[in-house]
Amino acid sequence: SSELTQDPDVSVALGQTVRITCQGDTLRKFFATWYQQKPGQAPVLVIHGENKRPSGIPDRFSGSASGNTASLTITGAQATDEADYYCNSRDSSGYQVFGTGTKVTVL
Amino acid sequence: QVRLQQWGAGLLKPSETLSLTCAVYGGSFTGYYWTWIRQPPGKGLEWIGELNHIGGANYNPSLKSRLTISADTSKNQFSLRLNSVTAADTAIYYCARSSDFWSGCSDWGQGALVTVSS
C-alpha cells in the first residue's frame, strides 16, 4: 500500500499561519482528508475533498494540493489548534492510508 | 445528530479473538461507509477496514487474514473481529462513519482500549 509522509513536529506563533504537508504518490490521483486529534480524544475531520470543511470547522482551516503533496493550512492559529494532525487518502486499490502525523505546537 | 457507541472486551491474551461492536444512534445505517481505525498507545492512526454503502467489506491487506467486519442492520450495529491477537494489536480502536467513499469519517465512536497481554 502507499505511504503518506508528514513532518513530525511543527510550531507556529499564536495568530500566525502554519502549513502542514503530506507527501505520497497516491496524492497525485486522490485528494487528502485531514483530521485533528487532541490528547485523549477521537480524531475530528477538518478537511475533505477539494478543500471542503465540515459544519463547525472554522474557516481558518484550508486544504490544497500540488503534485504528490497535500497541505493543510491554518491561517491565524489559535491555542485551541494545538493538536496532532493526520492526513488520509485512498490508494489505487481503494484502501485507506493514514499519514505519519504532525504535532502542531502553538507558541 | 448521529452518535456511535462502541464496546467490547478490553483485555485479551495472545492468540485470543478481539471482538468489538459499534452501535449507531440517531441516524440511518444504510447508505453509509462504516469504518474501523486503531491507534497504538502514543502512535499514529491505522485504517483497519470498512463496510461500504452496499454492505461489501474492504480490509487492510496487513490484517485481512485475521479480520472480519460485519453488520447487523436490524440493530444498527457493525462489528469487528480480529483473530489470533498479539501484543502488536494493543491499541485504541475507533469506529467511524463516512457519507461516501471520498468524504472522510465525520462521526466517530468514543474509542475503546484493547490490551493484549499474557
Side-chain angles (χ1 to χ4, degrees), chain B residues 29 32-35 49-59 69-71 77-79:
Chain B
F29 192 82
Y32 288 89
Y33 281 66
W34 302 100
T35 302
E50 68 190 1
L51 291 176
N52 63 28
H53 61 299
I54 53 173
N58 201 17
Y59 297 153
I69 298 176
S70 59
Q77 295 176 359
F78 65 109
S79 297

PDB file of all heavy atoms in Angstrom, chain B residues 29 32-35 49-59 69-71 77-79:
ATOM      1  N   PHE B  29     -28.568   3.814   9.074  1.00  0.00           N
ATOM      2  CA  PHE B  29     -27.431   2.894   8.945  1.00  0.00           C
ATOM      3  C   PHE B  29     -27.115   2.625   7.470  1.00  0.00           C
ATOM      4  O   PHE B  29     -25.949   2.584   7.081  1.00  0.00           O
ATOM      5  CB  PHE B  29     -27.734   1.576   9.655  1.00  0.00           C
ATOM      6  CG  PHE B  29     -26.526   0.693   9.808  1.00  0.00           C
ATOM      7  CD1 PHE B  29     -25.625   0.897  10.827  1.00  0.00           C
ATOM      8  CD2 PHE B  29     -26.282  -0.328   8.892  1.00  0.00           C
ATOM      9  CE1 PHE B  29     -24.499   0.108  10.960  1.00  0.00           C
ATOM     10  CE2 PHE B  29     -25.153  -1.129   9.018  1.00  0.00           C
ATOM     11  CZ  PHE B  29     -24.268  -0.909  10.052  1.00  0.00           C
ATOM     12  N   TYR B  32     -24.254   4.355   4.103  1.00  0.00           N
ATOM     13  CA  TYR B  32     -23.024   4.963   4.599  1.00  0.00           C
ATOM     14  C   TYR B  32     -21.867   3.959   4.552  1.00  0.00           C
ATOM     15  O   TYR B  32     -22.063   2.767   4.350  1.00  0.00           O
ATOM     16  CB  TYR B  32     -23.197   5.451   6.045  1.00  0.00           C
ATOM     17  CG  TYR B  32     -24.074   6.669   6.160  1.00  0.00           C
ATOM     18  CD1 TYR B  32     -25.454   6.541   6.317  1.00  0.00           C
ATOM     19  CD2 TYR B  32     -23.528   7.952   6.109  1.00  0.00           C
ATOM     20  CE1 TYR B  32     -26.264   7.654   6.415  1.00  0.00           C
ATOM     21  CE2 TYR B  32     -24.334   9.066   6.214  1.00  0.00           C
ATOM     22  CZ  TYR B  32     -25.703   8.914   6.367  1.00  0.00           C
ATOM     23  OH  TYR B  32     -26.500  10.017   6.455  1.00  0.00           O
ATOM     24  N   TYR B  33     -20.661   4.473   4.757  1.00  0.00           N
ATOM     25  CA  TYR B  33     -19.483   3.655   4.942  1.00  0.00           C
ATOM     26  C   TYR B  33     -19.187   3.577   6.439  1.00  0.00           C
ATOM     27  O   TYR B  33     -19.202   4.613   7.131  1.00  0.00           O
ATOM     28  CB  TYR B  33     -18.279   4.264   4.213  1.00  0.00           C
ATOM     29  CG  TYR B  33     -18.250   3.998   2.739  1.00  0.00           C
ATOM     30  CD1 TYR B  33     -19.218   4.544   1.892  1.00  0.00           C
ATOM     31  CD2 TYR B  33     -17.268   3.198   2.175  1.00  0.00           C
ATOM     32  CE1 TYR B  33     -19.191   4.296   0.536  1.00  0.00           C
ATOM     33  CE2 TYR B  33     -17.226   2.951   0.806  1.00  0.00           C
ATOM     34  CZ  TYR B  33     -18.192   3.501   0.002  1.00  0.00           C
ATOM     35  OH  TYR B  33     -18.161   3.255  -1.347  1.00  0.00           O
ATOM     36  N   TRP B  34     -18.910   2.361   6.908  1.00  0.00           N
ATOM     37  CA  TRP B  34     -18.665   2.135   8.334  1.00  0.00           C
ATOM     38  C   TRP B  34     -17.255   1.586   8.494  1.00  0.00           C
ATOM     39  O   TRP B  34     -16.919   0.556   7.930  1.00  0.00           O
ATOM     40  CB  TRP B  34     -19.711   1.174   8.892  1.00  0.00           C
ATOM     41  CG  TRP B  34     -21.095   1.704   8.689  1.00  0.00           C
ATOM     42  CD1 TRP B  34     -21.968   1.343   7.707  1.00  0.00           C
ATOM     43  CD2 TRP B  34     -21.730   2.746   9.450  1.00  0.00           C
ATOM     44  NE1 TRP B  34     -23.115   2.086   7.818  1.00  0.00           N
ATOM     45  CE2 TRP B  34     -23.000   2.952   8.881  1.00  0.00           C
ATOM     46  CE3 TRP B  34     -21.347   3.514  10.552  1.00  0.00           C
ATOM     47  CZ2 TRP B  34     -23.895   3.894   9.374  1.00  0.00           C
ATOM     48  CZ3 TRP B  34     -22.241   4.441  11.049  1.00  0.00           C
ATOM     49  CH2 TRP B  34     -23.495   4.623  10.468  1.00  0.00           C
ATOM     50  N   THR B  35     -16.449   2.283   9.287  1.00  0.00           N
ATOM     51  CA  THR B  35     -15.007   2.077   9.299  1.00  0.00           C
ATOM     52  C   THR B  35     -14.497   1.761  10.705  1.00  0.00           C
ATOM     53  O   THR B  35     -15.037   2.261  11.695  1.00  0.00           O
ATOM     54  CB  THR B  35     -14.309   3.358   8.784  1.00  0.00           C
ATOM     55  OG1 THR B  35     -14.779   3.653   7.467  1.00  0.00           O
ATOM     56  CG2 THR B  35     -12.793   3.193   8.746  1.00  0.00           C
ATOM     57  N   GLY B  49     -10.313  -1.337   8.325  1.00  0.00           N
ATOM     58  CA  GLY B  49     -11.175  -1.780   7.246  1.00  0.00           C
ATOM     59  C   GLY B  49     -12.519  -1.085   7.315  1.00  0.00           C
ATOM     60  O   GLY B  49     -12.772  -0.272   8.218  1.00  0.00           O
ATOM     61  N   GLU B  50     -13.389  -1.420   6.374  1.00  0.00           N
ATOM     62  CA  GLU B  50     -14.673  -0.733   6.279  1.00  0.00           C
ATOM     63  C   GLU B  50     -15.721  -1.616   5.625  1.00  0.00           C
ATOM     64  O   GLU B  50     -15.399  -2.575   4.919  1.00  0.00           O
ATOM     65  CB  GLU B  50     -14.515   0.554   5.465  1.00  0.00           C
ATOM     66  CG  GLU B  50     -14.208   0.293   4.003  1.00  0.00           C
ATOM     67  CD  GLU B  50     -13.807   1.542   3.224  1.00  0.00           C
ATOM     68  OE1 GLU B  50     -13.740   2.645   3.797  1.00  0.00           O
ATOM     69  OE2 GLU B  50     -13.559   1.393   2.011  1.00  0.00           O
ATOM     70  N   LEU B  51     -16.967  -1.248   5.893  1.00  0.00           N
ATOM     71  CA  LEU B  51     -18.117  -1.763   5.146  1.00  0.00           C
ATOM     72  C   LEU B  51     -18.609  -0.638   4.263  1.00  0.00           C
ATOM     73  O   LEU B  51     -18.809   0.490   4.748  1.00  0.00           O
ATOM     74  CB  LEU B  51     -19.230  -2.209   6.096  1.00  0.00           C
ATOM     75  CG  LEU B  51     -18.976  -3.438   6.948  1.00  0.00           C
ATOM     76  CD1 LEU B  51     -20.139  -3.666   7.898  1.00  0.00           C
ATOM     77  CD2 LEU B  51     -18.738  -4.663   6.085  1.00  0.00           C
ATOM     78  N   ASN B  52     -18.809  -0.925   2.991  1.00  0.00           N
ATOM     79  CA  ASN B  52     -19.270   0.140   2.098  1.00  0.00           C
ATOM     80  C   ASN B  52     -20.791   0.262   2.141  1.00  0.00           C
ATOM     81  O   ASN B  52     -21.481  -0.455   2.859  1.00  0.00           O
ATOM     82  CB  ASN B  52     -18.739  -0.078   0.679  1.00  0.00           C
ATOM     83  CG  ASN B  52     -19.244  -1.361   0.052  1.00  0.00           C
ATOM     84  OD1 ASN B  52     -20.336  -1.833   0.387  1.00  0.00           O
ATOM     85  ND2 ASN B  52     -18.468  -1.909  -0.851  1.00  0.00           N
ATOM     86  N   HIS B  53     -21.306   1.164   1.307  1.00  0.00           N
ATOM     87  CA  HIS B  53     -22.711   1.537   1.369  1.00  0.00           C
ATOM     88  C   HIS B  53     -23.657   0.423   0.924  1.00  0.00           C
ATOM     89  O   HIS B  53     -24.859   0.504   1.154  1.00  0.00           O
ATOM     90  CB  HIS B  53     -22.957   2.781   0.520  1.00  0.00           C
ATOM     91  CG  HIS B  53     -22.632   2.584  -0.926  1.00  0.00           C
ATOM     92  ND1 HIS B  53     -21.378   2.255  -1.391  1.00  0.00           N
ATOM     93  CD2 HIS B  53     -23.419   2.681  -2.021  1.00  0.00           C
ATOM     94  CE1 HIS B  53     -21.406   2.157  -2.697  1.00  0.00           C
ATOM     95  NE2 HIS B  53     -22.618   2.405  -3.116  1.00  0.00           N
ATOM     96  N   ILE B  54     -23.105  -0.616   0.303  1.00  0.00           N
ATOM     97  CA  ILE B  54     -23.955  -1.744  -0.093  1.00  0.00           C
ATOM     98  C   ILE B  54     -23.577  -3.000   0.685  1.00  0.00           C
ATOM     99  O   ILE B  54     -23.956  -4.105   0.307  1.00  0.00           O
ATOM    100  CB  ILE B  54     -23.878  -2.008  -1.604  1.00  0.00           C
ATOM    101  CG1 ILE B  54     -22.419  -2.180  -2.069  1.00  0.00           C
ATOM    102  CG2 ILE B  54     -24.544  -0.874  -2.373  1.00  0.00           C
ATOM    103  CD1 ILE B  54     -22.290  -2.599  -3.521  1.00  0.00           C
ATOM    104  N   GLY B  55     -22.797  -2.830   1.758  1.00  0.00           N
ATOM    105  CA  GLY B  55     -22.505  -3.943   2.649  1.00  0.00           C
ATOM    106  C   GLY B  55     -21.266  -4.748   2.319  1.00  0.00           C
ATOM    107  O   GLY B  55     -20.965  -5.737   2.991  1.00  0.00           O
ATOM    108  N   GLY B  56     -20.514  -4.354   1.304  1.00  0.00           N
ATOM    109  CA  GLY B  56     -19.273  -5.039   0.986  1.00  0.00           C
ATOM    110  C   GLY B  56     -18.153  -4.618   1.921  1.00  0.00           C
ATOM    111  O   GLY B  56     -18.146  -3.485   2.419  1.00  0.00           O
ATOM    112  N   ALA B  57     -17.216  -5.520   2.163  1.00  0.00           N
ATOM    113  CA  ALA B  57     -16.124  -5.239   3.098  1.00  0.00           C
ATOM    114  C   ALA B  57     -14.816  -4.988   2.355  1.00  0.00           C
ATOM    115  O   ALA B  57     -14.555  -5.598   1.316  1.00  0.00           O
ATOM    116  CB  ALA B  57     -15.956  -6.397   4.070  1.00  0.00           C
ATOM    117  N   ASN B  58     -14.030  -4.085   2.906  1.00  0.00           N
ATOM    118  CA  ASN B  58     -12.731  -3.716   2.359  1.00  0.00           C
ATOM    119  C   ASN B  58     -11.758  -3.726   3.532  1.00  0.00           C
ATOM    120  O   ASN B  58     -11.971  -3.006   4.506  1.00  0.00           O
ATOM    121  CB  ASN B  58     -12.832  -2.325   1.735  1.00  0.00           C
ATOM    122  CG  ASN B  58     -11.754  -2.049   0.724  1.00  0.00           C
ATOM    123  OD1 ASN B  58     -11.108  -2.952   0.229  1.00  0.00           O
ATOM    124  ND2 ASN B  58     -11.575  -0.778   0.396  1.00  0.00           N
ATOM    125  N   TYR B  59     -10.679  -4.536   3.432  1.00  0.00           N
ATOM    126  CA  TYR B  59      -9.814  -4.728   4.588  1.00  0.00           C
ATOM    127  C   TYR B  59      -8.388  -4.259   4.320  1.00  0.00           C
ATOM    128  O   TYR B  59      -7.877  -4.391   3.204  1.00  0.00           O
ATOM    129  CB  TYR B  59      -9.744  -6.217   4.961  1.00  0.00           C
ATOM    130  CG  TYR B  59     -11.045  -6.845   5.401  1.00  0.00           C
ATOM    131  CD1 TYR B  59     -11.268  -8.205   5.225  1.00  0.00           C
ATOM    132  CD2 TYR B  59     -12.035  -6.097   6.002  1.00  0.00           C
ATOM    133  CE1 TYR B  59     -12.444  -8.810   5.629  1.00  0.00           C
ATOM    134  CE2 TYR B  59     -13.229  -6.681   6.408  1.00  0.00           C
ATOM    135  CZ  TYR B  59     -13.430  -8.044   6.217  1.00  0.00           C
ATOM    136  OH  TYR B  59     -14.594  -8.630   6.631  1.00  0.00           O
ATOM    137  N   ILE B  69     -15.194  -7.858   9.329  1.00  0.00           N
ATOM    138  CA  ILE B  69     -16.080  -6.749   9.680  1.00  0.00           C
ATOM    139  C   ILE B  69     -17.457  -7.072   9.122  1.00  0.00           C
ATOM    140  O   ILE B  69     -17.587  -7.431   7.948  1.00  0.00           O
ATOM    141  CB  ILE B  69     -15.567  -5.412   9.115  1.00  0.00           C
ATOM    142  CG1 ILE B  69     -14.202  -5.073   9.709  1.00  0.00           C
ATOM    143  CG2 ILE B  69     -16.560  -4.294   9.425  1.00  0.00           C
ATOM    144  CD1 ILE B  69     -13.568  -3.817   9.126  1.00  0.00           C
ATOM    145  N   SER B  70     -18.462  -6.964   9.976  1.00  0.00           N
ATOM    146  CA  SER B  70     -19.817  -7.327   9.565  1.00  0.00           C
ATOM    147  C   SER B  70     -20.814  -6.350  10.166  1.00  0.00           C
ATOM    148  O   SER B  70     -20.474  -5.556  11.048  1.00  0.00           O
ATOM    149  CB  SER B  70     -20.138  -8.752  10.011  1.00  0.00           C
ATOM    150  OG  SER B  70     -20.031  -8.860  11.421  1.00  0.00           O
ATOM    151  N   ALA B  71     -22.045  -6.439   9.688  1.00  0.00           N
ATOM    152  CA  ALA B  71     -23.090  -5.534  10.161  1.00  0.00           C
ATOM    153  C   ALA B  71     -24.362  -6.297  10.478  1.00  0.00           C
ATOM    154  O   ALA B  71     -24.657  -7.324   9.857  1.00  0.00           O
ATOM    155  CB  ALA B  71     -23.364  -4.451   9.123  1.00  0.00           C
ATOM    156  N   GLN B  77     -25.997  -1.839  13.975  1.00  0.00           N
ATOM    157  CA  GLN B  77     -24.698  -2.116  14.579  1.00  0.00           C
ATOM    158  C   GLN B  77     -23.747  -2.709  13.541  1.00  0.00           C
ATOM    159  O   GLN B  77     -24.182  -3.373  12.603  1.00  0.00           O
ATOM    160  CB  GLN B  77     -24.837  -3.116  15.731  1.00  0.00           C
ATOM    161  CG  GLN B  77     -25.645  -2.613  16.907  1.00  0.00           C
ATOM    162  CD  GLN B  77     -25.831  -3.681  17.975  1.00  0.00           C
ATOM    163  OE1 GLN B  77     -25.366  -4.819  17.840  1.00  0.00           O
ATOM    164  NE2 GLN B  77     -26.488  -3.309  19.067  1.00  0.00           N
ATOM    165  N   PHE B  78     -22.458  -2.482  13.734  1.00  0.00           N
ATOM    166  CA  PHE B  78     -21.456  -3.195  12.964  1.00  0.00           C
ATOM    167  C   PHE B  78     -20.339  -3.630  13.899  1.00  0.00           C
ATOM    168  O   PHE B  78     -20.164  -3.052  14.984  1.00  0.00           O
ATOM    169  CB  PHE B  78     -20.941  -2.393  11.762  1.00  0.00           C
ATOM    170  CG  PHE B  78     -20.186  -1.129  12.081  1.00  0.00           C
ATOM    171  CD1 PHE B  78     -18.826  -1.044  11.875  1.00  0.00           C
ATOM    172  CD2 PHE B  78     -20.848   0.004  12.559  1.00  0.00           C
ATOM    173  CE1 PHE B  78     -18.133   0.135  12.121  1.00  0.00           C
ATOM    174  CE2 PHE B  78     -20.169   1.170  12.812  1.00  0.00           C
ATOM    175  CZ  PHE B  78     -18.803   1.235  12.603  1.00  0.00           C
ATOM    176  N   SER B  79     -19.628  -4.660  13.488  1.00  0.00           N
ATOM    177  CA  SER B  79     -18.701  -5.326  14.410  1.00  0.00           C
ATOM    178  C   SER B  79     -17.359  -5.603  13.754  1.00  0.00           C
ATOM    179  O   SER B  79     -17.231  -5.678  12.531  1.00  0.00           O
ATOM    180  CB  SER B  79     -19.308  -6.639  14.890  1.00  0.00           C
ATOM    181  OG  SER B  79     -20.496  -6.415  15.613  1.00  0.00           O
TER     182      SER B  79
END
